[in-house]
Amino acid sequence: MTNEVFFMRNTYTAPWYKRVRTLVSSALLINVLLFCSQVHAAEYSPNFKNTEIVEFINIVGKNLNKTMVVDPNVRGKVNLRSYDSLTEEQYYQVFLNVLEVYGFSAVIMENNIIKIIRNKDAKTASIPVVGDENPGIGDEMVTRVVEVKNVTVRELVPLLRQLSDQSGGGNVVNYDPANVILLTGTAATVNRLVAVIERVDKAGDQDVQIIKLQYASAGEMVRIIEAMNKSTQGKPGTPTFLIPKIVADDRTNSVIVSGESQARKRIAKLISRLDSELESNGNTRVYYLKYSKAEDLVTVLQGVSKSIEAETKSASKTASRGSKSREVSIDAHDDTNTLVITAEPDMLRSLEAVIRQLDIRRAQVHVEAVIVEVFEADGINLGIQWFSPKAGFTQFNNGPAPLGQVAAGAYAAKTKDGEIVPAVYSSETGKKISDQYNKNNIEGDYSLLGQVLGSASGLVTGFLRGDIGAVLQAVSSDTNSNILATPSITTLDNEEAYFLVGQEVPIITGSAASSNNANPFQTVERQEVGIKLKVTPQVNEGNAVQLTIEQEVSSVSGATGVDISINKREIKTTIMADSGSTIVLGGLIDEDVQESEQKVPILGDIPFLGHLFKSTSNTKRKRNLMVFLKPTIIRDGIDMNRISKEKYNYIRADELRKQEEGLELMDDSNLPLLPKWNDQLELPPSFDEYMNKKQAMQSLDLPDITQDQP
């Protein structure tokens, strides 16, 4: 025991032990001092009085070991006093608060640099884009993208802009295609706007509820509820989102309700009370039709009722139950265009669904046809004909007038000399009956010559020298024609329409005479000649229409030896076209070149001199004929009004043009003019209103505007 104590005493008093204890004590003291200095460095007590803001920024940057880049527009003096010790994070938030109060913002860059700029410039700077995980705090400038699910951002953005600092660094922008909102500003402001968006988005949340009916008809139920909603909408202050949307599903006899939960509950409660079984198994309904004819639907509904009755009987036999008769009565009242149906409730619902789908507004088709025909014809005839009483004559038929016909006409036109008529004596008595006299000259017949020369055109001349004569004929013709016709017609879907602009021409179809030819007669039929358009449209699903078309353009070309001849161009076809598109139905491009030469053999082949013994005729004809078609589907009254207005204004503009050009021999006021198109029909004013307005105009010495103006 004594030795152990001695050893311990010697150990504590040994020089090497003293040195070790001194080193350990020094290390512990240094650690305590470092810890205390770190604790002291992590606490800040900012106090500034009338300090330039630039100096304030530099001091904060030095304390936080941050590099500050200050905009030249940053100016002002800072007054700040804190009575609490702040951590480094709190100290930085106080720094951001001071900048926000003075209208500046701090933008943190990736290289540990902080830019101090104005608030209105911060929205376009590289501020961070945050989300729900790290939304940011305080006055830190951030950008956030918020998705909205139940309301439209176009209606929500004006509300948020009133809560945001639009003049400073705040900004609220909506992107409609994605239904999102882009928010820019301080983190505190952006988080507040996000909270507002979330609550408003929940308020707009609408669900869909399907209510299946057992006894009532879905279409009739929707009609009743919509009538009630219309009266509710008329009350002021009723929010739109409290009015649910209701749609009938006729296939499953269900009502689909979309809206707020309270509104859906109210509609569901009303439907459950109305969907009750009728006291009687039979029922009679009167259906007023809007578009269809009642007599046309009777046959269809009778077939549907028979089919439903057959299915019901088959199901009853399968279930080994006795099937009772399900009599159905369907009648049409033509005067009111209504259907009167008596049947059981389930049969009524089925027939009502059929009526609703058939009694719809049928589409119409406006068909415009464009017929363009361009015709050009050129012709030249040149020939000379010789004649001599002794040597004969030459005659060519490809000229305007053959020489033989001219000569015959000239001979018939000569005046015949008179002659002496001797006296006449009776053979029985020998007495003179009449004295001798001189017969007058007989004038020639010019009708044959006039007929021959009437068919000639151009230059026809000749000469006669002794027994030799010649006739020279020369003519050049040039014909140009441009025909444009634009017939148009409007008809219902699957209804044939016919259009004709022309005349009825009599055509001889037969003749007969009696035995002695005393009472001959002829049979005549009238044929339509002009522009005809017959079309039957069929509107298909989508924007296409199928057309069965008969297009005809005919005209009287002239008379023949038997009767008249008629030019006719006709197209019959079935096409498929999109609404509003122009297609070509058909066309003809025809070019005809003919050259005719008649000559005297051998003499007509002599160079240069041969033209004296031949006749040449050249003709060239070119025809371009095209038919175009443009169908337009008319599904509602707006399209019909637009097309009618275009056609009406086109005719009125043409009349205005003619009125501006005027007439040479008549007063321009006599020209007709359509009144202006009026889209809205207004009731005429009452007698008192008319007289008051007229007296007011007279007192002001103004023209009477109550009179109809063109």
Side-chain angles (χ1 to χ4, degrees):
M1 184 66 182
T2 303
N3 293 333
E4 291 178 358
V5 172
F6 176 76
F7 175 76
M8 292 177 63
R9 287 179 179 178
N10 290 337
T11 301
Y12 287 129
T13 57
W16 62 272
Y17 178 76
K18 292 180 179 180
R19 288 195 295 270
V20 172
R21 186 178 59 185
T22 302
L23 293 174
V24 172
S25 300
S26 300
L28 292 175
L29 180 61
I30 292 172
N31 291 332
V32 171
L33 292 175
L34 290 175
F35 175 76
C36 293
S37 62
Q38 291 177 356
V39 172
H40 179 70
E43 295 180 354
Y44 301 92
S45 296
N47 294 296
F48 298 93
K49 183 177 182 181
N50 293 330
T51 305
E52 293 290 338
I53 191 169
V54 176
E55 184 65 22
F56 167 71
I57 294 172
N58 292 334
I59 293 173
V60 173
K62 183 178 181 181
N63 293 336
L64 297 178
N65 294 324
K66 302 286 186 180
T67 301
M68 301 290 184
V69 179
V70 184
D71 188 276
N73 296 320
V74 177
R75 298 175 184 176
K77 293 186 178 182
V78 177
N79 290 305
L80 175 64
R81 182 172 183 80
S82 176
Y83 296 96
D84 296 331
S85 297
L86 305 177
T87 62
E88 182 176 349
E89 183 177 356
Q90 293 174 342
Y91 182 62
Y92 181 69
Q93 289 297 325
V94 170
F95 170 66
L96 296 179
N97 296 148
V98 173
L99 293 180
E100 198 275 335
V101 169
Y102 284 89
F104 305 107
S105 299
V107 179
I108 302 176
M109 307 301 293
E110 295 180 356
N111 51 2
N112 202 28
I113 295 177
I114 300 178
K115 294 192 300 184
I116 310 300
I117 58 178
R118 293 179 296 182
N119 275 341
K120 61 181 181 179
D121 298 332
K123 64 179 68 176
T124 58
S126 58
I127 57 179
V129 179
V130 299
D132 295 336
E133 298 80 7
N134 185 21
I137 59 174
D139 292 331
E140 178 185 1
M141 294 296 296
V142 295
T143 296
R144 189 167 179 177
V145 180
V146 182
E147 181 182 3
V148 183
K149 299 180 179 179
N150 301 306
V151 296
T152 59
V153 294
R154 186 185 295 273
E155 299 177 356
L156 186 57
V157 163
L159 172 65
L160 299 177
R161 285 175 178 168
Q162 298 180 8
L163 305 177
S164 176
D165 183 16
Q166 294 292 312
S167 60
N171 192 17
V172 180
V173 181
N174 58 293
Y175 182 63
D176 296 338
N179 204 47
V180 297
I181 300 178
L182 283 72
L183 303 175
T184 300
T186 61
T189 303
V190 171
N191 293 336
R192 181 168 64 96
L193 294 179
V194 171
V196 173
I197 293 174
E198 291 177 352
R199 295 197 177 188
V200 174
D201 197 20
K202 290 181 180 179
D205 186 12
Q206 296 186 355
D207 199 359
V208 177
Q209 183 177 357
I210 300 176
I211 304 174
K212 187 173 179 59
L213 304 181
Q214 295 181 359
Y215 306 103
S217 170
E220 187 68 17
M221 185 70 69
V222 169
R223 186 187 64 81
I224 296 173
I225 298 175
E226 286 181 347
M228 294 181 58
N229 289 337
K230 287 181 180 179
S231 61
T232 305
Q233 292 176 3
K235 297 180 180 179
T238 303
T240 305
F241 67 90
L242 290 180
I243 302 175
K245 297 180 180 179
I246 308 171
V247 179
D249 184 13
D250 297 327
R251 185 179 62 86
T252 60
N253 196 36
S254 303
V255 177
I256 304 174
V257 185
S258 173
E260 294 290 326
S261 59
Q262 294 298 328
R264 285 188 281 106
K265 290 180 180 179
R266 178 172 58 86
I267 296 299
K269 184 177 180 181
L270 177 62
I271 291 175
S272 63
R273 297 179 63 181
L274 294 176
D275 186 26
S276 59
E277 186 176 4
L278 298 176
E279 295 181 358
S280 175
N281 290 332
N283 195 9
T284 300
R285 296 283 182 88
V286 178
Y287 298 96
Y288 290 88
L289 303 180
K290 298 179 180 179
Y291 306 104
S292 303
K293 290 184 179 180
E295 57 183 6
D296 295 339
L297 291 184
V298 169
T299 304
V300 178
L301 296 178
Q302 287 177 350
V304 173
S305 62
K306 291 179 181 179
S307 177
I308 296 175
E309 185 177 358
E311 292 179 358
T312 305
K313 290 181 179 179
S314 177
S316 301
K317 291 180 180 180
T318 304
S320 299
R321 293 179 300 178
S323 61
K324 61 180 180 178
S325 176
R326 295 167 57 90
E327 296 182 357
V328 179
S329 174
I330 304 174
D331 297 315
H333 189 254
D334 297 334
D335 295 339
T336 58
N337 196 35
T338 56
L339 290 172
V340 181
I341 303 177
T342 302
E344 295 184 11
D346 57 344
M347 181 73 75
L348 278 176
R349 288 195 299 267
S350 301
L351 295 179
E352 183 182 0
V354 175
I355 294 172
R356 189 181 302 108
Q357 296 181 31
L358 294 179
D359 187 27
I360 60 175
R361 177 169 182 155
R362 296 166 61 186
Q364 302 182 83
V365 179
H366 179 70
V367 181
E368 296 176 274
V370 180
I371 305 165
V372 183
E373 182 177 3
V374 179
F375 179 75
E376 298 178 1
D378 298 329
I380 298 177
N381 295 331
L382 177 62
I384 185 170
Q385 302 181 63
W386 299 89
F387 69 93
S388 174
K390 298 179 180 180
F393 60 89
T394 62
Q395 175 170 311
F396 304 116
N397 295 325
N398 60 354
L403 181 59
Q405 297 180 8
V406 175
Y411 179 78
K414 283 185 177 183
T415 302
K416 306 298 188 296
D417 296 333
E419 57 184 5
I420 298 176
V421 179
V424 178
Y425 295 91
S426 174
S427 60
E428 296 179 355
T429 62
K431 294 182 179 181
K432 183 187 295 185
I433 298 176
S434 62
D435 296 332
Q436 179 180 347
Y437 66 94
N438 295 328
K439 191 176 182 180
N440 297 331
N441 296 337
I442 301 174
E443 295 184 356
D445 185 7
Y446 290 88
S447 60
L448 180 58
L449 182 60
Q451 182 180 0
V452 174
L453 296 180
S455 63
S457 60
L459 174 64
V460 179
T461 184
F463 68 92
L464 179 63
R465 184 70 57 86
D467 292 338
I468 299 177
V471 176
L472 175 65
Q473 305 171 12
V475 62
S476 176
S477 62
D478 186 4
T479 303
N480 291 318
S481 64
N482 186 1
I483 301 175
L484 174 64
T486 57
S488 61
I489 194 170
T490 302
T491 181
L492 282 172
D493 182 22
N494 287 317
E495 293 290 341
E496 182 183 286
Y498 182 71
F499 178 89
L500 170 64
V501 176
Q503 57 184 346
E504 290 187 348
V505 178
I507 305 293
I508 299 175
T509 58
S511 62
S514 60
S515 59
N516 56 359
N517 200 19
N519 186 20
F521 68 92
Q522 294 178 336
T523 59
V524 178
E525 289 185 0
R526 295 188 176 271
Q527 180 175 342
E528 295 176 346
V529 175
I531 298 174
K532 301 179 184 179
L533 176 61
K534 184 184 293 184
V535 59
T536 304
Q538 179 181 345
V539 179
N540 298 331
E541 188 71 22
N543 202 34
V545 56
Q546 179 178 329
L547 297 169
T548 301
I549 302 166
E550 295 184 16
Q551 174 73 62
E552 179 183 322
V553 179
S554 57
S555 61
V556 178
S557 62
T560 63
V562 178
D563 205 340
I564 61 174
S565 61
I566 297 177
N567 295 328
K568 187 175 181 180
R569 291 164 306 269
E570 184 177 7
I571 294 177
K572 293 183 180 180
T573 182
T574 301
I575 62 170
M576 179 77 70
D578 293 333
S579 176
S581 62
T582 302
I583 61 174
V584 57
L585 291 183
L588 171 65
I589 300 177
D590 183 18
E591 186 170 358
D592 183 13
V593 178
Q594 295 182 0
E595 182 176 4
S596 174
E597 183 179 78
Q598 294 180 351
K599 62 183 178 180
V600 178
I602 302 175
L603 295 179
D605 297 329
I606 300 175
F608 300 107
L609 295 178
H611 291 285
L612 299 176
F613 302 97
K614 66 181 178 181
S615 176
T616 304
S617 173
N618 294 334
T619 59
K620 179 181 179 181
R621 290 178 296 182
K622 184 177 182 180
R623 174 182 299 170
N624 293 334
L625 173 63
M626 288 292 172
V627 180
F628 301 91
L629 193 75
K630 178 184 177 182
T632 302
I633 300 176
I634 303 174
R635 300 188 183 275
D636 50 30
I638 297 176
D639 293 339
M640 175 62 76
N641 185 71
R642 175 181 56 81
I643 294 175
S644 301
K645 183 178 181 180
E646 290 177 357
K647 298 295 183 182
Y648 188 93
N649 290 335
Y650 174 79
I651 298 299
R652 189 173 188 276
D654 189 59
E655 291 182 345
L656 289 173
R657 178 187 60 80
K658 293 180 180 178
Q659 194 176 65
E660 291 177 357
E661 294 175 356
L663 300 175
E664 294 183 2
L665 303 178
M666 295 180 61
D667 187 6
D668 297 344
S669 61
N670 295 328
L671 292 175
L673 179 63
L674 291 174
K676 290 184 178 180
W677 178 273
N678 187 11
D679 292 329
Q680 298 179 353
L681 296 178
E682 298 180 356
L683 293 176
S686 62
F687 178 77
D688 295 336
E689 293 177 352
Y690 174 80
M691 295 302 298
N692 294 335
K693 184 180 294 185
K694 189 172 184 178
Q695 293 176 1
M697 294 297 102
Q698 293 176 355
S699 62
L700 297 176
D701 196 15
L702 295 176
D704 189 2
I705 62 174
T706 60
Q707 299 295 332
D708 294 337
Q709 300 292 332

